[in-house]
């Protein structure tokens, strides 16, 4: 860990301005991922700007009947919120499937979106990794890739995004609200927030330097049965091998997003039209063009069977 | 005290205290944080500097250049010690590979330097400023590939020493050819990491030419002698202390880089130096349980009698290393007139392989007990009946040698009864509970029990306090408590009047903790010392030692009686002795037995496996403390589930290292994975084992668990997986089609 300065600021505007004007600055929210990465010198900020105590910890109803979740709302509080449990069950379930109780108490909504991959080669600083050191190569390609991506990957990177929450947000069409150093705000649809790796896997999101997540908004509830199926080798405290977030309506239509398969939560809206035809049809389109490695080719079948479980449960729920 | 004839009636047989469940006497210290672990001896050591170990970034080759200039001028840095600064180090007896590498590199994360600084953070930051250039060499990292040309070896890894490399009895090939029912299958087990909670940790302090070391170890004397040898100093100059250890599982049997580098660092900065090894360095820097590839062939008559049994195992290690003894139990567990066992050892440039909980038997039983299940199915027999049919009262290779005690059949039958085994559908893939496929599986448990030479000193103080001193360690197992119980039983005083002092190299050398020999050996050593103390008490009181009894603080001989404390009024009495094994282990085969039963659910959609309930029935002689013994067994069962379902140090065969080298990547079970465990101990006392009549339990508890899980998974799914761990991807495409 390198030496760093730590600063509290008075307002969001100050935070964004400070981040833009201070070389090596980063925001710190819960710190559950950033501090680990700093210890390993994978992240080496010289200046940390604390986002706690800036009033970002509220969940409010929006004018159009949705919810606006402050960026500093903890994963624990968000999962427990009655409105979330009632109308956005996929989100609550996804949050509770992630990490551990202690981590969820600290982890924030904004920070969860920005957590970095758990690719073991990213974590081992002796190994080449284009995400950690641009243009250094990728040790994961041709290596141990059981947990890694099967679709949307590139010759530079086959990492996955580790978040459960983000997969649920993707299926719920959430929007990420930001502010930049000039005070300009943006609303970024979750679909556009995370990027595919391409040639620049170090560039993971649509955020610009200094731009700060202030909230995540959820549109008005869409009803249906909400699912989050997370498949993992042990029962708790493990990243998804694959996960399926879904909202299935009474008529069998619905939405599906996947975790554990790509560099971002994976959703292809056109595939969802096939939901009434069953999992196999959906997955054929959802994962068309997948390029799995030997270690993770099983994820194709696993996604199909996991989605089949979701559909079966939704049908059982109707009865 | 030489133990060369079966134990007769002795004071332990009263079992007034021994054999009863007692809370750990050091428990309150641990739960309140007052027990100082290796890195926490702040009271004894002030002004400690911090060391940070740099591990090699390559698996094989040598250091081409090492630039320390930036690190040396970093804030707080006091010294950097590399192989060059350290000078020529000796080779320790119990390590295969040098603990300080350079210029030659033997494996990934081999220590190449220690940075010592005022704070931990400064040492870590400076370590990242050390610039190393390597010249890489091609290494051998693929076990299956390397085994193709690997030689047969004996148990010690050499040819022509130790047990013979290929062990034969009868004519296996002819019998196997002729057998009407046979099995020939390959089983694989992966490399595994101990992943004990407390990392390797040491504080080293030089006083002149004398070295004090607080370290986390299972074996005080091995650590002391090997550290002295490494540093080329007399062993009398090294004092090693390890009163509390946060788990070892075999990983802490041997001197490791934390102790060596702390000693070298402390010598360089003339200050105490503390090192706690970061978790991501541990799996590649230290030892691991080696992967195995095992071939098992079994032939039987249609009535289920085994006529031919062959178990051949291959594993790998660094040059001059040793094989994983995965075939040992197959020589002893089941009858059969024609037998063959062998081991091959490949040279690998992966980190050093060595002992992990039940080395040999744990992976060996993972394979053998699936094979037995498969064979029972081929025969159309219940797997319990098949095992009972092939029970043997003697060592099948040396039929004149009987087992000292062998209650395997009782363990199997009692387990079946308690687990409701008859509810199991022998037809796999038939039992459903909602979306879960339900399966029941079982396996035998088997592990040898050794008596190791073990010494102790017992002192009776003038105030009546009894102090036991031995270099025995308590690695979370309960040694403090069973040693106290032993002294209480022998001296007839309350538990509050006994103080147990462990794990200091100034104390008599004990067995240490390992190989499930610690509990029985160390308490036998304390027994021996107590026998001597009883003699000197009787002598001081003028009693006849042969009919003197010790109970309730009183010493009684015939119609004469005196308080124990009276014997020490004239001054402290102190006696020392050791238990020394005789040749009973040659006359008798001394082993522990058990049965493991497991129920699993397998998600019919995703193939995820979850254990639902577990039972172990154990036959291990006298159980000294049923409470701590149960803790040992449930811990071992948990580790067995880890081995069955998730633990896997994944080798990157291009780069030659274990990729998932932290606790996020290397999964061990969490609480939610282990819903219900039951442990039953058969009543017993084995007089051929030692004067305590007790045997090991901590490794029996893991032997067979993996196979019991595997057999339950098979019973649930109908898909036989022979490649551990049994992760969902290995049976997913064989699960029932979706509706």
């Amino acid at each position: 860990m390198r030496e760093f300065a730590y600063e509290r600021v008075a307002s969001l505007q100050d935070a964004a301005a400070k981040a833009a004007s201070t070389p090596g600055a980063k925001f710190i929210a819960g710190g559950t991922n950033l501090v680990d990465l700093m210890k390993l010198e994978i992240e080496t900020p010289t200046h940390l700007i604390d986002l706690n105590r800036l009033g970002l910890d509220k969940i409010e109803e929006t004018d159009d009947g949705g919810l606006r979740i402050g960026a500093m709302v903890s994963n624990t509080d968000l999962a427990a919120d009655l409105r979330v449990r009632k109308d956005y069950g996929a989100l609550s379930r996804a949050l509770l499937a992630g990490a551990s109780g202690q981590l969820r108490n600290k982890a924030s909504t904004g920070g969860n979106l920005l957590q970095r991959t758990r690719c073991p080669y990213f974590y081992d600083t002796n190994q080449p990794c284009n995400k950690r050191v641009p243009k250094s190569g990728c040790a994961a390609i041709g290596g141990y890739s059981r947990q890694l991506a099967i679709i949307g990957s590139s010759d530079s990177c086959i990492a996955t995004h580790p978040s459960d929450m983000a997969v649920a947000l993707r299926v719920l069409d959430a929007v990420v609200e930001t502010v930049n150093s000039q005070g300009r705000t943006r609303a970024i649809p979750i679909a556009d927030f995370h990027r595919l790796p391409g040639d620049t896997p170090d560039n993971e999101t649509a955020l610009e330097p200094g731009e700060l997540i202030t909230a995540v908004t959820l549109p008005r509830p869409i009803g249906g049965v909400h699912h989050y199926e997370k498949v993992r080798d042990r029962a708790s405290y493990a990243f998804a091998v694959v996960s399926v977030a879904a909202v299935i309506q009474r008529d069998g239509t619905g939405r599906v997003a996947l975790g554990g398969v790509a560099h971002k939560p994976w959703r292809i809206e056109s595939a969802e039209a096939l939901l009434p035809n069953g999992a196999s049809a959906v997955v054929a389109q959802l994962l068309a063009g997948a390029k799995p490695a030997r270690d993770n080719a099983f994820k194709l079948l696993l996604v199909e069977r996991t989605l089949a479980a979701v559909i079966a449960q939704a049908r059982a729920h109707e009865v | 005290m030489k133990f060369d004839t079966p134990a007769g009636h002795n004071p332990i047989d009263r079992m007034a205290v021994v054999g009863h469940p007692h809370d750990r006497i050091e428990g309150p210290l641990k739960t309140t944080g007052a027990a100082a672990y290796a890195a926490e001896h702040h009271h004894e050591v002030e002004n400690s500097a911090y060391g940070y170990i740099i591990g090699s970034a390559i698996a094989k080759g040598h250091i081409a250049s090492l630039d320390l200039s930036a690190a040396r001028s970093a804030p707080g840095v006091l010294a950097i010690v590399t192989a060059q600064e350290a000078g020529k180090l000796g080779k320790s007896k119990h390590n295969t590979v040098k603990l300080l590498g350079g210029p030659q590199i033997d494996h990934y994360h081999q220590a190449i330097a220690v940075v010592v600084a005022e704070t931990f953070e400064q040492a870590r930051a400076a370590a990242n400023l050390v610039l190393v250039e390597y010249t890489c060499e091609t290494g051998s990292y693929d076990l299956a590939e390397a085994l193709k040309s690997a030689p047969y070896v004996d148990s010690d890894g050499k040819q022509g020493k130790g047990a013979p490399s290929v062990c034969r009895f009868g004519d296996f090939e002819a019998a196997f050819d002729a057998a009407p029912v046979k099995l020939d299958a390959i089983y694989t087990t992966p490399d595994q990491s101990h992943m004990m909670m407390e990392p390797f940790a040491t504080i080293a302090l030089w006083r002149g030419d004398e070295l004090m070391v607080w370290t986390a170890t299972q074996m005080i004397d091995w650590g002391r002698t090997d550290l002295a040898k490494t540093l080329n100093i007399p062993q009398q100059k090294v004092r090693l202390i390890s009163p509390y250890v946060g788990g070892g599982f075999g990983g802490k049997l041997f001197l490791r880089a934390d102790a060596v580098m702390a000693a070298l660092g402390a010598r360089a900065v003339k200050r105490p130096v503390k090192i706690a090894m970061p978790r991501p360095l541990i799996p590649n820097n230290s030892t691991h349980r080696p992967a195995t590839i095992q071939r098992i062939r079994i032939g039987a008559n249609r009535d289920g009698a085994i006529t031919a049994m062959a178990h051949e195992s291959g594993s790998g290690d660094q040059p001059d290393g040793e094989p994983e003894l995965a075939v040992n139990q197959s020589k002893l567990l089941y009858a059969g007139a024609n037998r063959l066992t062998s081991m091959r050892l490949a040279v690998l440039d992966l980190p050093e392989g060595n002992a992990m909980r039940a080395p040999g038997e744990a992976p060996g039983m993972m394979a053998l007990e699936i094979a037995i299940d498969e064979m029972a199915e081929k025969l159309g027999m219940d797997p319990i009946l098949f095992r009972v049919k092939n029970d043997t009262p003697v060592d099948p290779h040396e039929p004149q040698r009987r087992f000292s005690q062998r209650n395997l059949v009782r363990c199997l039958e009692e387990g079946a009864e308690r687990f409701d085994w008859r509810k199991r559908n022998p037809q796999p893939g038939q039992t459903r509970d909602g979306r879960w496929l339900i399966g029941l599986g079982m396996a035998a448990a088997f592990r040898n029990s050794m008596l190791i030479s073990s010494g102790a000193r017992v002192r009776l103080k003038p105030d009546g306090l009894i102090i036991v001193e031995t270099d025995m360690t308590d690695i979370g197992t309960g040694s403090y408590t069973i040693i106290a119980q032993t002294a209480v039983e022998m001296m007839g005083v309350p538990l509050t009047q006994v103080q147990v002092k462990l794990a200091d190299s100034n104390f008599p050398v004990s067995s240490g903790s390992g190989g499930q020999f610690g509990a029985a050996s160390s308490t036998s050593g304390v027994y021996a010392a107590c026998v001597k103390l009883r003699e000197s008490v009787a002598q001081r009181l003028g009693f006849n030692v042969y009919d003197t009894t010790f109970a309730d603080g009183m010493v009684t001989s015939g119609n004469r009686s005196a308080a124990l404390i009276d014997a020490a009024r004239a001054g402290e009495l102190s006696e020392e002795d050791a238990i020394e094994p005789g040749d009973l282990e040659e006359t008798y085969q001394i082993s522990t037995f058990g049965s493991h039963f497991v129920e699993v659910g397998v998600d019919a959609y995703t193939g995820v496996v979850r254990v639902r309930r577990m039972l172990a029935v154990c036959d291990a002689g006298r159980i000294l403390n049923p409470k701590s013994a149960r803790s040992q067994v449930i811990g071992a069962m948990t580790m067995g589930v880890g081995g069955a379902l998730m633990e896997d140090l994944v080798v990157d065969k291009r780069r030659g290292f274990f990729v998932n080298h932290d606790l996020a990547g290397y999964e061990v079970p969490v609480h939610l994975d282990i819903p219900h465990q039951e442990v039953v101990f058969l009543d017993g006392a084995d007089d051929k084992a030692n004067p305590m009549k007790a045997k090991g339990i901590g490794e029996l508890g893991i032997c067979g668990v993996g196979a019991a899980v595997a057999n339950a998974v098979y019973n649930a799914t109908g898909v036989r997986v022979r490649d551990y761990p049994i992760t969902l991807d290995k049976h997913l495409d064989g699960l029932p089609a979706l509706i």
Side-chain angles (χ1 to χ4, degrees):
Chain A
M1 187 182 272
R2 308 256 180 97
E3 279 194 353
F4 61 91
Y6 166 85
E7 184 177 12
R8 287 185 195 162
V9 290
S11 68
L12 292 177
Q13 178 86 45
D14 285 358
K18 202 83 191 184
S21 65
T22 313
K26 258 194 174 309
F27 302 117
I28 184 161
T32 56
N33 191 207
L34 179 60
V35 175
D36 282 353
L37 294 170
M38 287 169 66
K39 288 177 183 172
L40 296 165
E41 296 199 8
I42 294 167
E43 297 272 14
T44 52
T46 51
H47 193 104
L48 289 183
I49 300 161
D50 191 350
L51 301 180
N52 291 280
R53 302 174 187 82
L54 294 178
L56 295 177
D57 55 353
K58 296 177 187 64
I59 305 173
E60 300 158 325
E61 283 155 41
T62 60
D63 294 342
D64 64 352
L67 280 184
R68 186 170 189 278
I69 303 154
M72 289 304 301
V73 172
S74 76
N75 288 179
T76 298
D77 288 346
L78 184 56
D81 186 273
L82 281 178
R83 294 161 293 189
V84 173
R85 290 170 62 188
K86 177 168 166 285
D87 294 327
Y88 307 96
L91 175 57
S92 188
R93 288 181 179 154
L95 284 161
L96 293 176
S100 65
Q102 295 92 329
L103 286 167
R104 292 194 295 268
N105 288 342
K106 284 299 289 174
S108 67
T109 305
N112 189 312
L113 288 173
L114 296 177
Q115 63 180 305
R116 309 209 59 193
T117 185
R118 303 294 167 150
C119 174
Y121 296 94
F122 172 75
Y123 265 82
D124 187 332
T125 52
N126 292 324
Q127 307 302 326
C129 172
N130 290 317
K131 186 183 277 299
R132 181 166 24 80
V133 181
K135 311 289 176 207
S136 63
C138 172
I141 295 173
Y144 172 53
S145 57
R146 184 169 186 269
Q147 290 287 113
L148 303 181
I150 56 171
I151 195 161
S153 52
S154 70
D155 293 341
S156 295
C157 182
I158 57 171
T160 49
H161 195 269
S163 171
D164 293 300
M165 184 194 81
V167 182
L169 292 182
R170 180 71 182 88
V171 93
L172 295 170
D173 282 338
V175 174
V176 182
E177 294 186 352
T178 67
V179 62
N180 75 0
S181 56
Q182 281 85 47
R184 184 170 61 86
T185 59
R186 277 211 289 168
I188 309 168
I190 186 78
D192 302 331
F193 184 80
H194 294 106
R195 308 165 67 122
L196 289 178
D199 295 334
T200 54
D202 54 311
N203 188 2
E204 293 170 348
T205 68
L207 291 177
E208 288 159 9
E211 190 174 8
L212 164 64
I213 300 174
T214 53
V216 172
T217 56
L218 296 173
R220 55 182 302 172
I222 57 168
V225 182
H226 285 231
H227 300 268
Y228 190 75
E229 277 277 336
K230 180 174 181 177
V231 181
R232 43 185 161 177
D233 296 318
R234 68 177 169 192
S236 171
Y237 200 43
F239 294 97
V241 178
V242 306
S243 67
V244 174
V247 180
I248 310 285
Q249 304 293 344
R250 242 168 219 289
D251 60 3
T253 63
R255 303 175 179 181
V256 180
L258 306 178
V261 298
H263 199 257
K264 58 188 285 189
W266 193 254
R267 182 177 172 199
I268 305 284
E269 278 82 345
S270 59
E272 292 166 359
L274 299 167
L275 267 172
N277 301 358
S280 173
V282 176
V283 172
Q285 193 165 335
L286 186 55
L287 294 180
K291 281 194 269 182
R294 194 198 53 199
D295 286 350
N296 60 22
F298 72 92
K299 286 187 179 183
L300 292 167
L301 178 59
L302 182 58
V303 166
E304 181 184 328
R305 296 184 69 105
T306 308
L307 180 57
V310 166
I311 293 171
Q313 275 182 59
R315 285 182 185 150
H317 196 271
E318 278 170 41
V319 180
Chain B
M1 176 185 286
K2 187 89 173 168
F3 184 71
D4 48 13
T5 53
H9 185 79
N10 70 38
I12 298 295
D13 292 328
R14 280 193 314 164
M15 289 181 70
V17 181
V18 168
H20 295 267
H22 276 277
D23 290 347
R24 288 160 195 249
I25 58 176
E26 86 289 9
L29 292 176
K30 288 179 173 170
T31 50
T32 58
Y37 287 78
E40 300 174 340
H41 289 270
H42 312 123
H43 296 300
E44 296 96 325
V45 192
E46 290 171 358
N47 195 31
S48 193
Y50 291 79
Y52 195 88
I53 292 173
I54 300 176
S56 166
I58 65 162
K60 188 176 168 67
H62 59 271
I63 296 171
S65 72
L66 196 56
D67 179 356
L68 306 177
S69 53
R72 280 206 166 113
S73 55
V77 171
L78 301 169
I80 301 175
V81 182
T82 67
Q84 199 180 341
E85 279 80 18
K88 189 164 170 48
L89 298 177
K91 171 81 173 63
S92 52
K93 181 180 168 198
H94 295 94
N95 298 100
T96 307
V97 184
K98 287 190 297 182
L99 294 172
L100 174 57
Q104 187 191 317
I105 298 298
D106 302 299
H107 63 84
Y108 194 70
H109 277 172
Q110 182 178 27
I112 58 165
V114 62
V115 178
V116 182
E118 291 287 350
T119 71
F120 170 75
E121 288 77 11
Q122 288 171 331
R124 182 174 58 186
N128 277 302
L129 298 173
V130 172
L131 300 175
V132 193
E133 282 179 35
Y134 299 92
T135 306
C136 294
E137 288 162 29
T138 311
S140 167
Y141 310 117
D142 184 335
L143 176 61
E145 198 53 43
L147 278 175
K148 286 177 184 165
S149 56
Y152 288 103
V153 290
D154 305 340
S155 53
D156 62 359
K158 311 290 188 297
Q159 284 157 292
K161 296 180 184 171
S165 14
V166 180
C167 185
R168 289 179 171 280
F169 187 83
D171 183 346
F172 167 77
E173 282 82 359
F176 186 70
D177 281 348
V181 182
K182 50 186 138 186
L183 167 89
D184 182 350
I186 305 280
Y187 304 86
T188 57
T189 63
D191 297 288
Q192 293 182 339
S193 186
H194 309 85
M195 287 298 185
M196 59 283 174
M197 189 60 79
E198 182 199 23
F200 297 102
T202 297
I203 300 174
L205 163 66
W206 290 88
R207 288 190 184 115
D209 63 350
E210 294 189 354
L211 175 63
M212 281 281 291
V213 177
W214 290 265
T215 191
T217 185
Q218 299 174 223
M219 308 293 285
I220 295 291
D221 195 53
W222 291 5
R224 179 175 73 136
T225 51
D226 269 351
L227 185 54
K229 216 166 169 181
T230 304
L231 300 173
N232 298 309
I233 59 175
Q235 68 180 61
Q236 295 76 14
K237 297 287 187 187
V238 178
R239 180 155 173 221
L240 208 112
I241 297 177
S242 189
Y244 304 107
V245 180
F249 310 123
K252 290 176 183 163
L253 285 168
F254 316 107
L255 179 71
R256 295 306 316 168
D258 58 312
V260 174
M261 302 311 278
L264 292 172
R267 187 154 69 185
V269 302
K270 299 184 170 48
R271 255 172 76 176
V273 167
K274 175 197 289 198
I275 294 178
M277 199 178 285
R279 182 68 59 180
L281 201 64
I282 290 177
N284 284 286
N285 177 274
S286 65
T287 63
H288 63 279
R289 189 201 296 283
T292 65
I293 300 175
Q294 304 178 44
R295 181 187 186 193
I296 296 180
R297 285 172 288 170
I298 303 174
N301 291 330
R302 294 201 188 281
D303 67 356
I306 293 173
T307 55
M309 157 93 74
H311 191 165
E312 297 164 280
S313 174
S315 59
D317 202 357
Q318 285 268 335
D320 300 321
E322 295 180 4
E324 180 70 15
L325 307 175
V327 303
N328 274 4
Q329 73 290 322
S330 300
K331 297 175 183 172
L332 292 164
L333 189 48
Y334 298 113
N338 302 283
R339 318 174 71 89
L340 165 67
T341 51
S342 73
M343 288 181 293
R344 286 177 190 265
L345 178 61
V347 172
L348 294 179
D349 297 298
L350 291 169
E352 175 178 343
N354 216 314
M356 179 168 151
R357 201 170 199 169
E361 277 90 338
M365 292 290 281
M366 286 166 86
L368 176 66
E369 289 295 290
I370 296 185
I372 293 290
D373 198 66
E374 294 197 67
M375 201 57 197
E377 189 181 30
K378 283 174 186 280
L379 288 157
M381 281 179 85
D382 182 276
I384 294 177
L385 295 180
F386 179 50
R387 287 175 172 88
V388 171
K389 173 90 183 170
N390 291 287
D391 191 40
T392 171
V394 298
D395 174 349
H397 285 253
E398 297 178 60
Q400 76 285 2
R401 284 180 80 224
R402 298 188 67 81
F403 286 93
S404 61
Q405 278 187 357
R406 178 175 166 124
N407 294 308
L408 176 61
V409 172
R410 265 184 67 199
C411 292
L412 295 169
E413 289 175 347
E414 175 139 5
E417 182 66 28
R418 287 175 177 265
F419 207 70
D420 235 348
W421 179 253
R422 76 204 117 159
K423 286 204 177 141
R424 167 182 177 266
N425 186 337
Q427 191 71 29
Q430 302 300 309
T431 311
R432 283 291 278 260
D433 177 4
R435 68 188 271 185
W436 295 93
L437 302 162
I438 306 303
L440 267 60
M442 55 78 55
F446 173 87
R447 171 79 169 147
N448 288 333
S449 186
M450 287 177 282
L451 178 63
I452 303 284
S453 166
S454 192
R457 181 161 51 231
V458 186
R459 296 155 58 188
L460 175 61
K461 306 285 284 183
D463 61 1
L465 186 69
I466 289 177
I467 299 176
V468 185
E469 294 170 336
T470 163
D471 86 354
M472 178 61 185
T473 47
D474 188 326
I475 60 170
T477 42
S479 308
Y480 278 103
T481 312
I482 55 171
I483 284 172
Q485 287 174 271
T486 303
V488 164
E489 196 78 70
M490 291 299 289
M491 303 311 299
V493 295
L495 204 56
T496 48
Q497 219 171 307
V498 171
Q499 189 183 358
V500 180
K501 294 183 172 179
L502 298 183
D504 182 333
S505 59
N506 279 354
F507 298 152
V509 174
S510 74
S511 62
S513 299
Q516 81 165 11
F517 53 65
S521 300
S522 67
T523 53
S524 293
V526 172
Y527 169 89
C530 286
V531 167
K532 274 202 168 172
L533 183 61
R534 286 164 63 111
E535 286 169 9
S536 61
V537 166
Q539 206 167 27
R540 257 219 198 151
L541 295 172
F543 289 5
N544 178 357
V545 69
Y546 297 104
D547 67 357
T548 301
T549 57
F550 292 68
D552 304 324
M554 300 299 290
V555 185
T556 307
S557 172
N559 53 10
R560 298 173 60 200
S561 195
L564 178 64
I565 198 170
D566 292 343
R569 288 214 197 278
E572 172 181 319
L573 284 174
S574 176
E575 291 295 346
E576 184 178 331
D577 200 4
I579 193 76
E580 299 289 350
D583 59 3
L584 282 171
E585 286 176 23
E586 284 156 39
T587 316
Y588 297 96
Q589 178 57 43
I590 301 172
S591 304
T592 59
F593 299 88
S595 61
H596 287 290
F597 289 80
V598 175
E599 179 181 320
V600 300
V602 179
D603 187 325
Y605 288 95
T606 65
V608 159
V609 180
R610 297 286 180 254
V611 170
R612 296 186 148 206
R613 60 189 177 107
M614 307 176 76
L615 165 70
V617 182
C618 304
D619 166 32
R622 176 174 284 155
I623 301 301
L624 301 174
N625 179 345
K627 186 168 184 177
S628 54
R630 179 178 181 278
S631 293
Q632 280 294 293
V633 176
I634 62 175
M637 290 159 80
T638 303
M639 200 176 246
V641 170
L645 298 179
M646 58 192 86
E647 292 187 43
D648 183 3
L649 274 179
V650 178
V651 179
D652 186 316
K653 292 171 188 158
R654 308 159 307 165
R655 294 166 180 270
F657 75 113
F658 298 128
V659 183
N660 49 342
H661 52 72
D662 59 29
L663 277 167
Y666 185 87
E667 292 183 8
V668 298
V670 295
H671 282 90
L672 195 54
D673 290 299
I674 310 292
H676 181 80
Q677 295 175 317
E678 190 183 348
V679 180
V680 175
F681 297 113
L682 298 188
D683 271 340
D686 190 336
D687 62 356
K688 320 285 193 308
N690 49 64
M692 301 299 290
K693 305 177 186 174
K695 295 190 281 194
I697 192 81
E699 299 188 335
L700 180 67
I702 192 174
C703 292
V705 175
V709 173
N711 296 337
V713 171
Y714 171 74
N715 183 243
T717 63
V719 184
R720 183 64 79 172
V721 179
R722 301 182 183 86
D723 174 32
Y724 290 99
I726 304 170
T727 45
L728 61 96
D729 44 299
K730 293 178 184 167
H731 58 208
L732 189 64
D733 59 4
L735 295 183
L738 301 177
I739 309 139

